[in-house]
Structures are given as C-alpha cells and as structure tokens.
Amino acid sequence: MPSFMLVDGMALLFRAFYATAVTGQFMINSKGLPTNAVQGFLKHMLTAVNHFSPSHVAVCWDMGSKTFRNELFPEYKANRSAAPVEMIPQFDLVKEVVEAFDIPNIGLTGFEADDCIGTIAKASQSHSHVSILTGDQDMLQLIEDRISVILLRKGFGNYEVHDHDSFFTWKGITPAQMVDLKALMGDTADNYPGVKGIGEKTALKLLIEYGTIEGILENLQNLTKTQRTKIEDAVEMLHLSRSLAAIKCDVPIACPLETSVFRYDKERVTKMAETHELKGLQRLLV
C-alpha cells in the first residue's frame, strides 16, 4: 500500500524562519531575497522524506489570514502580529521551490492548511497509509488506523510519531476526543478562551470520566461546585470553541494519489537551487 506524507507547509516554514531569524541569519542572496525560511523548510521536509521514505508527498498551505473561523469568531487569531518583512517574499518562493520537486502545493482560500490536510488525509486513508508532518499538536485529532502524525521536535531529524495507541498512552483519551479537550482548555495561540479556569489536567480528567462535552454537560451535578460554575458560565463559548478547534474534513479540495508521486528531476532541482542560491540543498538530495 502506498505511503502518503502530507506536509504542513506553514508549520515547517515558520519554524524554520524563527530558528534562524532570532540570530539575524536571514541568508539574503545576491538578489536581496531572504531565504532562511525556505532553506530550513526544505531541510525539514527532505530530512523527513529521507527518514520515512514516503512514496507520495504533498504540501498544504494557508491561503491568507482570514478563514471561515473568523466569521464564527472575529477574535480568532487576532492576537497574532503580521509576518516579519523578511518572511513575506519567502511565501511565494517556497511554493516555487516545492513545485520544482514536482510536489503538489495545495491550499484553498477561506480554509486553513489543517483543513486541507484533514480532508485529503481522510479521503486517502482507504488506499494509502497517511502520515502528517507538522509541529502542530492540533493535527493529533486526525489520527485513525491509517493516519499517523509526525511531530517535529527540536533540531532536524527528531520526531515523535503518534498513532492511536501511542496517543492514548500519552493522553489517556482517544484522538477524536482531542477536539473536546481543546474546546475545554481554549487555545491562547489561536486566541479563543474555552472555559476559563479549566486547564489540561482538569479537562482530561473530565473527558476520561464523561467522554464528551455533551457527557460532561449531562453530568454537571456530579462535578465540583467550582467546575460546574465555570462550565455553566461558558456553555456558549464552549460550543463555539469546539467549532473553532475542529479540523474541517470536507473542504472542496482533492489530491489524487497519482498527482503526488515523489519523483523529481534532480537537474531541475539543482538549477532551481542555483538560481536562488540555496547552498545547503544539494547534500539533501538522494
């Protein structure tokens, strides 16, 4: 059965950018174009491809800062600052670089890369083993029998791979319960509150005991007075937070397996690397 790696492009690109930008290493080429994020992205992606040997690869991207989640909750991600000026030209450059490898670039306006990954992963699991390469734990909700999540750890080539069993061992809940966990806890990075005063420890305890948000709401009388008050005061936000946390898996997008075979023209890639002065790329090619 084919192995299909879906790459969370934005997660890798931003991770790579900030790893070098903190020391001012923007790797500006002779045209005045910063390439640090692109070079780091390629190193992350190609190191993982060399390590896990997928037969098929596709990269998914955010397409602008506003999505359907902003319509549900205008403050969604409103706490995030604009991309640094050195990052902006690299958004187009990285897609050009990915295209040079004959890897599909996938994204849809109004949706996040997560939604594209979720949709493609669910559609592909019947005929391939899917792995999701990311640094974002939100993706763990997508785990199924043939969908695993590869979390990047510090440095290059360090991974934490999760399937259904390893996730359950780690958290004590199923991947499907991850959405309810996020709804209860909220997410400071995405700027939605969940239930104020409910942290991960309490949220996990409640989900292990009652299964779902509905199960918790049906058993409020069994909770401590403090827990009950916090949840009762935030029922509307709790349901909204779940809608924001859930990765949408029915986005009108597709990536047929035959379009994502990982096979590239080394000469074309070398020429692209020379054009943009991506000096570290050659040693990553196999």
Side-chain angles (χ1 to χ4, degrees):
M1 185 172 280
S3 54
F4 190 8
M5 179 178 283
L6 291 168
V7 178
D8 183 354
M10 286 300 182
L12 270 63
L13 191 69
F14 274 95
R15 187 185 190 93
F17 177 82
Y18 286 111
T20 48
V22 68
T23 54
Q25 299 175 42
F26 296 112
M27 303 176 190
I28 297 170
N29 65 19
S30 62
K31 303 183 186 93
L33 191 69
T35 64
N36 64 317
V38 173
Q39 294 204 57
F41 165 86
L42 280 173
K43 189 172 180 182
H44 277 305
M45 182 179 75
L46 294 175
T47 300
V49 166
N50 292 338
H51 183 89
F52 294 100
S53 301
S55 56
H56 297 70
V57 179
V59 183
C60 293
W61 303 99
D62 293 343
M63 302 294 285
S65 59
K66 300 294 183 185
T67 70
F68 74 94
R69 291 181 178 85
N70 297 98
E71 296 172 15
L72 292 173
F73 187 57
E75 290 83 14
Y76 182 74
K77 292 189 177 180
N79 56 334
R80 298 197 182 185
S81 55
V85 64
E86 296 89 355
M87 184 78 169
I88 293 169
Q90 299 190 67
F91 291 131
D92 288 334
L93 177 58
V94 73
K95 290 174 187 171
E96 180 185 333
V97 167
V98 168
E99 191 178 319
F101 281 88
D102 291 317
I103 295 173
N105 284 304
I106 298 168
L108 188 63
T109 302
F111 299 95
E112 296 181 36
D114 300 27
D115 303 312
C116 296
I117 288 172
T119 298
I120 295 167
K122 300 290 184 181
S124 302
Q125 64 179 329
S126 63
H127 50 270
S128 62
H129 289 286
V130 180
S131 60
I132 298 167
L133 180 67
T134 183
D136 183 359
Q137 292 191 20
D138 289 357
M139 296 289 193
L140 294 164
Q141 66 185 266
L142 297 173
I143 291 172
E144 290 195 19
D145 287 345
R146 286 188 184 156
I147 302 175
S148 61
V149 172
I150 304 166
L151 292 176
L152 296 172
R153 288 306 178 212
K154 192 173 182 180
F156 292 92
N158 299 316
Y159 309 106
E160 190 176 306
V161 183
H162 283 290
D163 58 16
H164 194 282
D165 291 342
S166 69
F167 181 81
F168 186 81
T169 300
W170 177 27
K171 294 289 187 183
I173 58 174
T174 67
Q177 290 173 288
M178 182 77 176
V179 179
D180 286 8
L181 177 66
K182 293 264 299 175
L184 285 161
M185 291 169 51
D187 189 320
T188 53
D190 288 343
N191 201 41
Y192 58 87
V195 178
K196 289 181 180 177
I198 298 285
E200 182 176 22
K201 186 176 178 181
T202 300
L204 283 171
K205 184 179 178 182
L206 292 173
L207 288 172
I208 290 168
E209 180 77 20
Y210 302 112
T212 63
I213 284 172
E214 285 76 16
I216 294 168
L217 294 175
E218 288 168 5
N219 288 276
L220 286 175
Q221 71 279 4
N222 297 326
L223 273 54
T224 67
K225 184 179 178 182
T226 302
Q227 290 170 348
R228 184 168 66 248
T229 301
K230 287 175 180 176
I231 293 172
E232 285 177 338
D233 288 346
V235 170
E236 189 175 340
M237 180 51 72
L238 179 58
H239 289 302
L240 176 58
S241 294
R242 181 164 57 178
S243 296
L244 297 171
I247 293 174
K248 198 168 174 60
C249 294
D250 57 355
V251 172
I253 204 164
C255 182
L257 209 56
E258 62 271 16
T259 67
S260 58
V261 176
F262 185 65
R263 188 187 303 117
Y264 60 87
D265 182 334
K266 196 167 184 178
E267 188 175 331
R268 181 187 177 197
V269 169
T270 300
K271 186 175 179 181
M272 174 274 297
E274 290 171 351
T275 299
H276 297 298
E277 301 166 33
L278 308 179
K279 296 173 183 175
L281 179 56
Q282 201 65 32
R283 65 177 173 267
L284 294 169
L285 304 178
V286 293

